Amino acid sequence: MTKIKVAVVGGSGYTGVELLRLLLEHPQVDLHAVTSRTEAGRLVTEVFPQFYGHTIAGALKFELPDISILQEADVVFFATPNGTAMQSAQALLQAGTAVIDLAADFRLDLDAWNSWYNMKHSAPELLPTAMYSLADLASPGLPGATLVANPGCYPTSVQLPLKPLLAAGLIDLTKPIIADCKSGITGAGRSGKVQHSFSEVSEDFTAYGVEGHRHWIEIKQGLEASAPAGTSLDFTFTPHLLPIPRGILSTIYCSLAKPGLQALAHVRATLTKTYEHSPFVQLLPVGHVPHTKWVRSSNKCHFNVFQSPSGQLVIISVIDNLMKGAAGQAIQNMNLMNGLPETLGLSSLGLVP
């Protein structure tokens, strides 16, 4: 089988280097180019010594993101800030190159983009053609797709357990849904900001984006897509910063349409059936509370469901924000787009400890 020629734009950030780590070991990938404006001209092994000794990485240099180089690839991953992929996507698509964007450029419609992102969208004509792909609930249209919006990390952790329950009518939509979510510091990106330094983050725990975080609209629109047509959910999302390198834990509170232990059993049966053939999404045994360490460095999502004494449904969901929340899911999407087994290059289990 011919290998997929791949380029990574933004290869020196946390998500970019995670893509490199996975793509260098992917049996059906030819890593064509890796770009970084800040590290252009340097060997990948100079910037990331963990790749020393790897034959391909040892000869690979970071390049400037020249469109002519990117157009030679079959697939280009954009591990870049919001607003970057939209500037090159049209030229790449016209050259027959598929685009997988790990930022938010193609996740929302134009009205939502204009409301939540303080920049003009430079390729609004592409928004209706982009496929938002939560890989484990992938659309039948994903094979052969050419423009894919990879979901955000928080949205992945919240939508995977909730969407099947909304589709099955098991959630009381007259009551609020609350997502109380925590992320490791790598979710803020690989920057030199003082507030993200060890001294500031260590032994601290804080909420942020309380009055409005951009992932709120992404999660809300994803959940409403699984609810009855015309539904507008009462949805609250509050992110928090954990003093750990990587991982997301989302605690989700909602009300069952028909409370009771039988309803909880129905919830478990629905989630089991939805993900019975999924290699990456795991409903844990009754009573087991998910830990972020259990999924660290894997493409897994672990979650479980509980019923509070008041009858409220409590869902706890964990992922690795750089894997299932970014690079891992992006490669899973690439595999599905190209008719490959979705697990290819993604079979590593979580690290212990």
Side-chain angles (χ1 to χ4, degrees):
M1 182 183 292
T2 304
K3 290 191 174 185
I4 304 167
K5 188 181 288 188
V6 170
V8 176
V9 181
S12 59
Y14 285 135
T15 299
V17 71
E18 195 77 340
L19 279 168
L20 289 183
R21 182 176 73 86
L22 297 169
L23 292 168
L24 284 167
E25 297 297 307
H26 195 295
Q28 286 299 321
V29 162
D30 171 15
L31 194 51
H32 170 66
V34 183
T35 82
S36 170
R37 292 187 184 278
T38 58
E39 306 294 350
R42 298 183 68 189
L43 287 167
V44 167
T45 50
E46 286 184 76
V47 183
F48 298 110
Q50 62 265 47
F51 295 132
Y52 275 131
H54 192 286
T55 304
I56 298 173
L60 199 61
K61 282 188 177 182
F62 286 108
E63 305 177 57
L64 290 172
D66 187 306
I67 192 67
S68 63
I69 294 173
L70 299 179
Q71 285 175 328
E72 295 173 357
D74 300 312
V75 177
V76 174
F77 291 92
F78 280 86
T80 49
N82 298 320
T84 303
M86 65 174 72
Q87 298 174 26
S88 304
Q90 187 68 269
L92 292 171
L93 294 171
Q94 289 174 349
T97 299
V99 171
I100 301 175
D101 181 31
L102 281 74
D105 294 23
F106 300 104
R107 292 175 185 164
L108 308 174
D109 62 33
L110 188 58
D111 288 341
W113 173 269
N114 289 337
S115 296
W116 286 89
Y117 289 84
N118 189 29
M119 66 180 77
K120 183 179 179 181
H121 204 291
S122 60
E125 70 281 359
L126 294 179
L127 292 174
T129 68
M131 179 172 290
Y132 180 87
S133 180
L134 196 64
D136 299 279
L137 294 171
S139 164
L142 187 56
T146 56
L147 178 57
V148 168
N150 209 59
C153 49
Y154 284 126
T156 296
S157 70
V158 174
Q159 291 184 85
L160 283 174
L162 267 183
K163 283 175 75 70
L165 303 183
L166 289 165
L170 298 179
I171 305 300
D172 183 352
L173 301 183
T174 67
K175 304 287 180 59
I177 296 175
I178 299 170
D180 183 351
C181 304
K182 294 93 174 171
S183 173
I185 190 63
T186 52
R190 189 168 180 253
S191 69
K193 294 180 180 178
V194 172
Q195 65 266 36
H196 299 152
S197 67
F198 176 81
S199 297
E200 299 294 326
V201 175
S202 178
E203 299 184 26
D204 194 22
F205 180 43
T206 185
Y208 63 98
V210 179
E211 295 182 334
H213 189 284
R214 290 166 172 174
H215 280 161
W216 176 85
I217 185 61
E218 181 186 342
I219 300 171
K220 187 172 188 287
Q221 74 170 14
L223 297 180
E224 288 177 350
S226 294
T231 298
S232 180
L233 295 180
D234 181 354
F235 176 65
T236 298
F237 164 63
T238 305
H240 301 73
L241 186 63
L242 285 171
I244 61 174
R246 54 202 294 165
I248 282 180
L249 188 148
S250 294
T251 305
I252 304 159
Y253 305 92
C254 51
S255 298
L256 289 165
K258 296 179 180 179
L261 293 178
Q262 286 186 332
L264 187 63
H266 195 180
V267 165
R268 290 192 66 86
T270 298
L271 292 170
T272 298
K273 182 171 179 57
T274 300
Y275 295 114
E276 62 182 336
H277 300 301
S278 172
F280 297 122
V281 181
Q282 180 67 56
L283 174 65
L284 299 182
V286 173
H288 287 224
V289 178
H291 290 230
T292 57
K293 272 193 173 182
W294 294 352
V295 296
R296 186 158 58 102
S297 196
S298 81
N299 195 47
K300 299 271 190 176
C301 172
H302 284 183
F303 59 79
N304 214 345
V305 294
F306 307 86
Q307 195 162 16
S308 73
S310 64
Q312 194 170 41
L313 180 66
V314 180
I315 304 170
I316 300 176
S317 170
V318 295
I319 63 170
D320 183 319
N321 57 296
L322 295 179
M323 283 290 292
K324 174 56 77 180
Q329 182 164 208
I331 290 173
Q332 187 181 354
N333 274 321
M334 179 197 72
N335 288 339
L336 292 168
M337 291 163 68
N338 288 277
L340 298 172
E342 62 183 307
T343 56
L344 207 60
L346 295 171
S347 58
S348 61
L349 299 174
L351 298 177
V352 180

